[in-house]
Amino acid sequence: MSEKQTVTVTIDGVQYEVPANIPLTRAMRKFLGIDIPTFCAHPRLEPVGACRQCLVEIETPRGPRLTTACTTYTTDGLVVLYNTETARAAREATLEFLLTNHPLDCPICDKGGECPLQDQTLRHGPGESRFLEEKIHKNKRYPISDLIMLDQERCVLCWRCIRYLEEWEFKPQLGLYHRGGETVIDIHPDHPLTAKTSGNIIDICPVGALTNRVARFHFRPWTWGPYPRTLQQVPSICIHCSQGCNLRIDVRTDRVRRIVARENMAVNDWWICDKGRFAQGFFHHPDRLTQPLVRENGELRPASWEEALQRVVEGLHRWAQQDPEAVGAIGSGKVSNEANYLLQKFFRLMVDTNNIDHRWGGDVLADPTGMGAIEDIYRADVIVLLGLDIAEEVPVLATFFRRAVRRNGARAVILHPRRVEDARFGVYLPVWPGGEAIWLNALMARLVREERFRAAARRHAGGQAFLTWLSDYGDLDDLPGVTEETMAHVVRLLADAQSPLVLYGADVVRGRAAEANAAALHNLALLLGEDRVVYVGPDANSLGARDMGVLPAFLPGYVPVTDEAGRERFRRLWGSEVPEEPGLTYTQMLQAAADGQLKALFVMGSDPAADGAWAARALEKLAFLVVQDIFLTDTARRADVVLPATTYAETDGTFTNMERRLQRAPQAFRPIGDARPDWAILVALAQRWPVREAGESRRKPRKGQRAARSPQARWTYTTPQDVLTEIARVVPQYAGLTWDALGTSGRYTAGEGVPRPRGFQQVPPAALPAEPEYPFTLVADRFLYDHGTLIRTTDRFARLLAPPVARMHPEDLARYGLKPGKEAVITSPHGEVTLPLAADPTVQQGTVALAYSLPGAPLETLMGPEGPGVLVNVVQPDAR
Amino acid sequence: MAIKDVYQGTRAIGRALGVTLKHLFEAPVTVESPDREPIAVYPRFRGRHYLRRYENGLERCIGCQLCEAACPTGAIYIEAEENDPDNPVSPGERYARVYEINLLRCIFCGDCEEACPTEAIVLGHGYTLANYTRRDFVLTKEDLLNPPEPNVVIRPEG
């Protein structure tokens, strides 16, 4: 729809210039400020003309005719009569008809106060009711899923919910039933809504027909304003996935009441997913940590902050004096940039170690280049999803993806070990975990037969050698389930594509095949274009934690710790020496702990014990463990000191999303109990750290250098904004970004200096392992509703959580004589778990699919430290 | 000074004392509160608040918070909750889980009564409101739910 051209329309005798070919309602509301009443018209939905509320008179050769403005598009010379007696009477009558059967239960309706029907009745309605008859009764308090309640009496049949599910979700799960005055919106019998972004229909419902079952009755939209106990509307962001959707947290009496979507066309359009909207149980859960705990005689007991902080400083300092390499720190992709930045600064300067990482950090060999812009997905003509279950991992991006395919004609290729839901939008190819590089090399070997890609290859270092090397990798024998025809089809798609887009998930570049896969993705990026191959991290701040240098080999801004000039810059900025040997990654730290080499570990906002039995055993061996978290996690239970942190909504913070956009999440309510924000705890620790005496330093200052000032002198932050100011000075990508400059819609960080593909790499992929002892490959699945603490703390999710089962293809079950529904023992070289089996035809033959974060971490236990691509065996004791 | 003045002065003192003496033998106008019988108040007197019930025992209050919004001093605090359909507190879907009125803030204007769509909150005739601790000035739902005359609209004219 081109909005560049303008046309002249006449409304009530006045001529206006408006964009051409847009609905008249939009032109009047958005561009002319005329308050035309509408119900069915929505800026992000196709016009349908269902409610008849926007009737205007349009001049035709046969005289003025009543027409719905929402289905009339602006054309040159359009003559509209808006404020005439006929048109006004028609609109008044429509409102009167809508109200004939609308119940007057506004006092108990959650929409009351922000209800278009209320507002427009006051502004455009007849002012009095003429109906005395009994209203038609329909279903009230009628759940259409565990999360959404429908009140059919309040519905004005605008079809917004129906259209949202059809036009964005491509899941027509709501429909109209019956005729005339009896017409109702309803789910299809026994099929509750399952769309992952279904909650958006609550936001766009123009009446209170659809309400949020989690937040139901806990807020009143009209109690906003600067008065005591009113609803504070805090513009914030979502921290559940890397898209960083904008949302608004409504808070009253320091409690989160509800979460609604906030418009940001560049990030999330008008939408958020159901996890972001409904997962609000964790904010005020009774299990939240509210005071520090210290271990005494083997038991954790409450302690004062002073005592706990002193214990932490003493414990860390003791090990830092003995051997800084025996101390490690684990940050988190779930906490803010500020907290992550201070964590790595504390451990690099005070403890003098580079053992700093986060889950999905140094072990994931991804290029954090980020997507050029999330909107790029609409401009792409071929979209490849590699190991990314987009509907479960980034549900709002999934709606964009589906729209790109269905509306913009983009072609999709879905590569995943399991036939994921969105496989229906394109070509599906099974790819074994750990075998991605084999597929990518086979693809590239075929792609470079096109002259265009040969030329692209020659433009980069090592291109010619790479072409020769690649010619050995065209074989499809190692790729079960991939035929020459489908491969040729995919090659054709990519060869013809002008702007292809490859999105890959964290599991592709982690574990045994990480190096080969990362190299293959590198090479593919050089062939297709640097910004066309994009890593989609699993956490809200996956990129931010990397940018902040919560990595064992990089200082903030991706300065390698081995780079002398870079270290010198940080020495000047921070006023202290920076250790130069790269540290251990997350997995290596846990393994070092298991081996007894790592003695002290500081864990912030992470739960390594949930990485399976091997990780839990490793933690047991630590001499000193500090956990800073909001819940008493399995890791915290093993800790020597537990520091109660706050959620992201209790302090200011910034997060960097998948398109490298820095967004702020301001404080929405005061910290509960004695909990303190992550950044404040780290500042308190730094201020208590013993001052290093002159000459005591492990490293002597080099000749010509001034003796460094005591690093504590620089820990004068009083707000997170102070930390952000320092980040903007220290991290080149964040230069010039201040809290105020970010505004409510965020700003892009610069992409310069971020590791990106440089020259072709030749890493031969390992063949897929095969062992007769372990006939199945383990497939790791991500579910939107996993059993993590942020999700299971909301009771309404109880029935939606990922089922704790091992899923297998029905034919595999039959072939091996396994019975679904019965428990089976699953073994891998790393461990053994017992889980019920379930038949699932989306799982490929020869694989067993388990979800991440199930209770007891069965998947992680089987995977061990090895990562994806582990072989397993399944035995059902009673079935044999 | 003449004899006349002495006479007039004595007479004036006598009359004044006569008034005093007369009232010595009359019943007092003041009432000893709270030990004696409560005094009658005018029908539209606005005193301590009550929450009313329907005849079937269900609470009238639906937790809509309109009184809270209408209150000019912010004396009312309400937390609404969803009714359990099998064991409802009030008719319909919504009830007030918490209903508190801070009498130290209340100015007894009656706006809450006016705002109430179900005539649940009413200002009664109670005026003995003194208490020992600040906390006791906050009427909770239990304090409010037992009106002396349960189902009487106290001021039907509103």
Side-chain angles (χ1 to χ4, degrees), chain A residues 294-621:
Chain A
V294 296
R295 191 167 292 280
E296 198 173 85
N297 304 327
E299 293 285 318
L300 284 173
R301 63 152 174 90
S304 71
W305 267 105
E306 198 49 55
E307 183 188 357
L309 291 171
Q310 216 54 52
R311 283 272 284 264
V312 175
V313 167
E314 277 164 22
L316 289 177
H317 190 254
R318 195 158 56 88
W319 287 107
Q321 293 293 95
Q322 284 183 21
D323 178 14
E325 307 305 325
V327 186
I330 291 175
S332 172
K334 288 184 166 70
V335 305
S336 68
N337 286 322
E338 287 76 8
N340 275 313
Y341 174 80
L342 290 184
L343 178 81
Q344 60 86 30
K345 187 175 172 183
F346 179 81
F347 277 86
R348 290 209 158 102
L349 295 193
M350 311 279 174
V351 180
D352 203 21
T353 179
N354 272 326
N355 292 338
I356 300 157
D357 201 4
H358 59 287
R359 201 183 184 201
W360 319 111
D363 298 316
V364 176
L365 303 180
D367 287 328
T369 48
M371 214 160 164
I374 286 176
E375 295 159 297
D376 278 356
I377 199 161
Y378 289 126
R379 292 189 274 269
D381 46 11
V382 174
I383 302 167
V384 181
L385 304 178
L386 175 56
L388 181 73
D389 187 351
I390 195 165
E392 300 280 352
E393 294 182 40
V394 254
V396 175
L397 190 68
T399 66
F400 298 179
F401 161 74
R402 291 167 194 168
R403 236 169 128 83
V405 171
R406 284 289 164 87
R407 304 215 145 198
N408 298 5
R411 310 294 293 272
V413 181
I414 295 93
L415 290 134
H416 199 277
R418 189 170 68 80
R419 182 180 277 276
V420 292
E421 187 190 314
D422 280 72
R424 68 191 172 108
F425 289 92
V427 189
Y428 169 71
L429 295 161
V431 53
W432 256 232
E436 291 89 352
I438 307 175
W439 184 85
L440 285 167
N441 286 337
L443 172 79
M444 285 189 283
R446 284 162 177 75
L447 269 185
V448 294
R449 288 177 196 154
E450 302 274 328
E451 188 43 47
R452 194 179 123 209
F453 293 109
R454 293 190 84 80
R458 286 195 201 97
R459 277 201 296 275
H460 297 281
Q464 196 59 50
F466 172 69
L467 291 177
T468 322
W469 176 82
L470 194 60
S471 56
D472 294 341
Y473 290 95
D475 207 4
L476 292 189
D477 290 348
D478 287 342
L479 292 168
V482 180
T483 63
E484 201 62 61
E485 290 80 58
T486 47
M487 199 68 185
H489 182 61
V490 173
V491 170
R492 195 71 257 142
L493 285 179
L494 280 171
D496 293 343
Q498 294 306 307
S499 50
L501 187 64
V502 181
L503 304 176
Y504 64 96
D507 277 344
V508 176
V509 280
R510 180 173 97 86
R512 191 156 35 83
E515 275 178 35
N517 289 350
L521 285 162
H522 241 82
N523 299 339
L524 186 68
L526 293 175
L527 288 182
L528 295 180
E530 231 182 58
D531 55 341
R532 311 317 302 176
V533 179
V534 177
Y535 167 59
V536 179
D539 288 327
N541 212 13
S542 279
L543 294 192
R546 285 167 179 271
D547 289 350
M548 292 306 116
V550 184
L551 291 172
F554 291 102
L555 293 165
Y558 303 100
V559 176
V561 290
T562 48
D563 174 15
E564 191 139 336
R567 275 207 321 281
E568 174 57 26
R569 177 167 170 267
F570 277 95
R571 202 193 70 87
R572 259 184 287 113
L573 285 166
W574 285 348
S576 185
E577 284 291 325
V578 181
E580 61 185 299
E581 305 83 22
L584 304 173
T585 67
Y586 178 84
T587 309
Q588 286 166 347
M589 271 192 264
L590 290 176
Q591 283 171 322
D595 298 343
Q597 286 158 12
L598 195 81
K599 295 294 186 190
L601 187 63
F602 187 96
V603 180
M604 174 179 81
S606 189
D607 187 10
D611 269 318
W614 67 278
R617 280 196 300 274
L619 293 173
E620 298 283 359
K621 290 209 167 179

Side-chain angles (χ1 to χ4, degrees), chain A residues 571-815:
Chain A
R571 202 193 70 87
R572 259 184 287 113
L573 285 166
W574 285 348
S576 185
E577 284 291 325
V578 181
E580 61 185 299
E581 305 83 22
L584 304 173
T585 67
Y586 178 84
T587 309
Q588 286 166 347
M589 271 192 264
L590 290 176
Q591 283 171 322
D595 298 343
Q597 286 158 12
L598 195 81
K599 295 294 186 190
L601 187 63
F602 187 96
V603 180
M604 174 179 81
S606 189
D607 187 10
D611 269 318
W614 67 278
R617 280 196 300 274
L619 293 173
E620 298 283 359
K621 290 209 167 179
L622 286 165
F624 188 63
L625 174 63
V626 184
V627 175
Q628 176 174 321
D629 212 321
I630 58 171
F631 285 103
L632 194 66
T633 58
D634 285 343
T635 309
R637 274 179 234 286
R638 296 171 164 83
D640 296 291
V641 185
V642 181
L643 303 172
T646 63
T647 62
Y648 79 108
E650 285 154 79
T651 182
D652 291 346
T654 61
F655 291 78
T656 310
N657 80 349
M658 59 186 274
E659 52 165 2
R660 303 195 55 77
R661 177 186 291 268
L662 185 66
Q663 303 193 98
R664 64 187 199 187
Q667 182 179 20
F669 60 98
R670 284 175 297 184
I672 65 159
D674 258 349
R676 290 193 193 175
D678 290 308
W679 66 270
I681 299 173
L682 288 162
V683 170
L685 286 176
Q687 286 167 347
R688 281 164 183 74
W689 193 259
V691 181
R692 191 182 290 155
E693 299 297 327
E696 200 195 320
S697 170
R698 235 166 38 93
R699 291 186 184 77
K700 282 178 195 143
R702 258 170 265 119
K703 241 168 87 176
Q705 286 177 345
R706 280 186 299 124
R709 266 206 298 155
S710 144
Q712 279 91 339
R714 310 248 171 147
W715 289 71
T716 53
Y717 320 100
T718 53
T719 63
Q721 283 88 330
D722 294 345
V723 187
L724 184 64
T725 310
E726 179 171 323
I727 291 172
R729 212 173 64 236
V730 169
V731 185
Q733 290 83 12
Y734 290 63
L737 294 175
T738 62
W739 181 262
D740 291 331
L742 294 181
T744 50
S745 54
R747 291 265 298 272
Y748 282 120
T749 60
E752 286 92 42
V754 174
R756 49 182 72 242
R758 285 285 170 243
F760 283 99
Q761 299 174 358
Q762 299 173 9
V763 182
L768 288 171
E771 282 176 49
E773 220 178 305
Y774 297 111
F776 300 102
T777 305
L778 184 67
V779 167
D781 253 336
R782 285 172 196 276
F783 275 87
L784 187 64
Y785 310 118
D786 62 23
H787 292 256
T789 42
L790 298 186
I791 317 240
R792 65 156 193 255
T793 40
T794 299
D795 299 338
R796 284 274 173 221
F797 286 140
R799 294 197 296 170
L800 304 172
L801 296 180
V805 293
R807 288 150 32 249
M808 293 177 72
H809 194 273
E811 283 187 18
D812 271 356
L813 289 173
R815 181 141 45 98

